[in-house]
Amino acid sequence: MSRPARVTITESSPRDGLQSLGVFIPTDAKIGLIDDLSMAGLVSFDAVSFVSPTAVPQMADAAEVIAGVARIGVFLRGLVPNLRGLEAAVAAGVDGIGVLTAASDTFSERNINADVEESMDRIRAILDEVPAGLSVRAYISTITHCPYEGPTDPARVAVLAERLAEWGCDEIFLGETLGKGTVGDVERVLDHVLARVPVSRLGVHFHDTYGQALANVVLSLDAGIDKLDSSAGGLGGCPYAPGAAGNVATEDVMWLLDGLGIDHDGDIQQVASVAARFCDEHNLPYRSRAGRATLAASEVEA
Ligand code: HMG
Ligand code: MG
């Protein structure tokens, strides 16, 4: 067992958690969510995306969100699908960017209007222009299943991950976009990827549609992966993966990590109360079971 002693959680609720909502969340509320979660001890945020406002209207205020966040020890990442996104992200003053590819051509086309090879060309072009000091995370989506093409070939994921590592991406995040993959599916992908990319460069991003995400987190920890995305209250989904649920809930991950004695940022009870309040204010379902239980237990104790 080579579980890490400490895990870096990237809080994805401000971006992945909100991007699919039909109702526009006001800019102040987005800023408040990041500030409140940072007060709850979270440090690293998947904060916004610099994408077409026609494609994803919810992210139209990305620059204003970045400008409004109290930058006290937080790390703010913005997704960029192309050079125009990079320019906007740099102008807004993000700490890091996320670039996008997928292991499925159809998903990639629907998501960013580029097949996989074209998306890799876009990433190459972005990497050529990235200012020194800006951290680059590459996301490979649909690592086990594509909503349009079905099961993914794990060897394709590994080849993409190796190329992205060779190109100098600081981190390569494996995105289980649909939340469908079981431990068996994810194990096959990790076996292929770990044969080609050092574990220190890898992170995981699990959606929880079929309730498999926490099991896949355990598998990833056992493989030595120490970076993962999660979303407070389980908020979220992808506009191009119909029916996909949000990322694994941050509070559920925290409960797991605490039980394993693995260090992480953030306090479960504080994160739960911020996320539950946000969900309540915006009429969204609060989906963290560990968070709900933690809040109920704290009421009993009070
Ligand atoms: P394209 O077709 O090459 O773009 O890329 P284009 O240059 O032809 O422009 C199309 C329109 O987009 C034009 O507007 C541009 O001005 C505008 P129009 O004239 O039609 O009004 N545009 C932009 N606007 C703002 N910022 C930009 C930008 N670039 C072009 N950077 C494009 C199409 C990629 C732009 C579009 O498809 C897009 O924005 N897609 C975003 C998709 C997205 O955000 N998906 C969700 C995030 S990915 C995800 O959730 C997966 C992840 O969580 C991991 C996982 O779960 O697996 C990360
Ligand atoms: Mg996602």
Side-chain angles (χ1 to χ4, degrees), residues 195-208:
R196 289 172 178 256
V197 178
V199 69
S200 59
R201 306 272 291 278
L202 292 177
V204 284
H205 173 108
F206 294 116
H207 285 266
D208 202 22

Side-chain angles (χ1 to χ4, degrees), residues 47-50 59-69 71 76-80 84-97 131 134:
V48 292
S49 39
F50 296 91
M59 292 290 123
D61 57 355
E64 290 94 318
V65 171
I66 298 295
V69 170
R71 304 289 286 267
L76 303 180
R77 193 176 294 280
L79 288 191
V80 304
R84 179 163 162 199
L86 174 67
E87 268 171 44
V90 170
V94 297
D95 302 297
I97 58 165
L134 197 68

Side-chain angles (χ1 to χ4, degrees), residues 72-290:
I72 308 165
V74 292
F75 183 102
L76 303 180
R77 193 176 294 280
L79 288 191
V80 304
N82 54 17
L83 280 171
R84 179 163 162 199
L86 174 67
E87 268 171 44
V90 170
V94 297
D95 302 297
I97 58 165
V99 295
L100 304 168
T101 187
S104 140
D105 288 299
T106 314
F107 176 82
S108 187
E109 279 159 7
R110 301 277 174 105
N111 193 32
I112 56 169
N113 197 24
D115 67 20
V116 172
E117 272 317 304
E118 286 164 347
S119 75
M120 292 296 277
D121 291 345
R122 286 187 189 180
I123 291 176
R124 189 65 265 176
I126 291 168
L127 292 174
D128 287 345
E129 299 296 327
V130 165
L134 197 68
S135 146
V136 180
R137 172 184 293 182
Y139 279 99
I140 305 175
S141 286
T142 61
I143 59 157
T144 64
H145 296 84
C146 165
Y148 313 104
E149 294 182 13
T152 301
D153 175 7
R156 191 174 194 195
V157 179
V159 169
L160 290 169
E162 185 176 39
R163 285 170 69 192
L164 292 163
E166 283 171 1
W167 289 356
C169 295
D170 299 298
E171 300 173 348
I172 293 116
F173 263 60
L174 305 175
E176 211 288 77
T177 321
L178 275 195
K180 212 172 175 178
T182 63
V183 163
D185 297 319
V186 175
E187 194 168 36
R188 270 187 292 282
V189 177
L190 290 183
D191 283 349
H192 278 79
V193 174
L194 286 166
R196 289 172 178 256
V197 178
V199 69
S200 59
R201 306 272 291 278
L202 292 177
V204 284
H205 173 108
F206 294 116
H207 285 266
D208 202 22
T209 320
Y210 284 72
Q212 304 299 298
L214 212 52
N216 287 324
V217 170
V218 175
L219 176 79
S220 307
L221 295 172
D222 287 350
I225 291 174
D226 67 354
K227 289 178 267 301
L228 59 86
D229 287 352
S230 59
S231 177
L235 281 165
C238 174
Y240 301 95
N247 290 116
V248 62
T250 303
E251 301 91 315
D252 295 3
V253 168
M254 286 177 158
W255 183 259
L256 172 74
L257 295 177
D258 289 343
L260 292 172
I262 297 176
D263 192 23
H264 61 84
D265 295 319
D267 173 84
I268 182 169
Q269 194 178 323
Q270 290 181 40
V271 169
S273 76
V274 169
R277 192 172 64 238
F278 184 86
C279 289
D280 192 41
E281 282 168 7
H282 299 282
N283 278 323
L284 300 167
Y286 177 73
R287 290 207 185 92
S288 169
R289 291 166 70 175

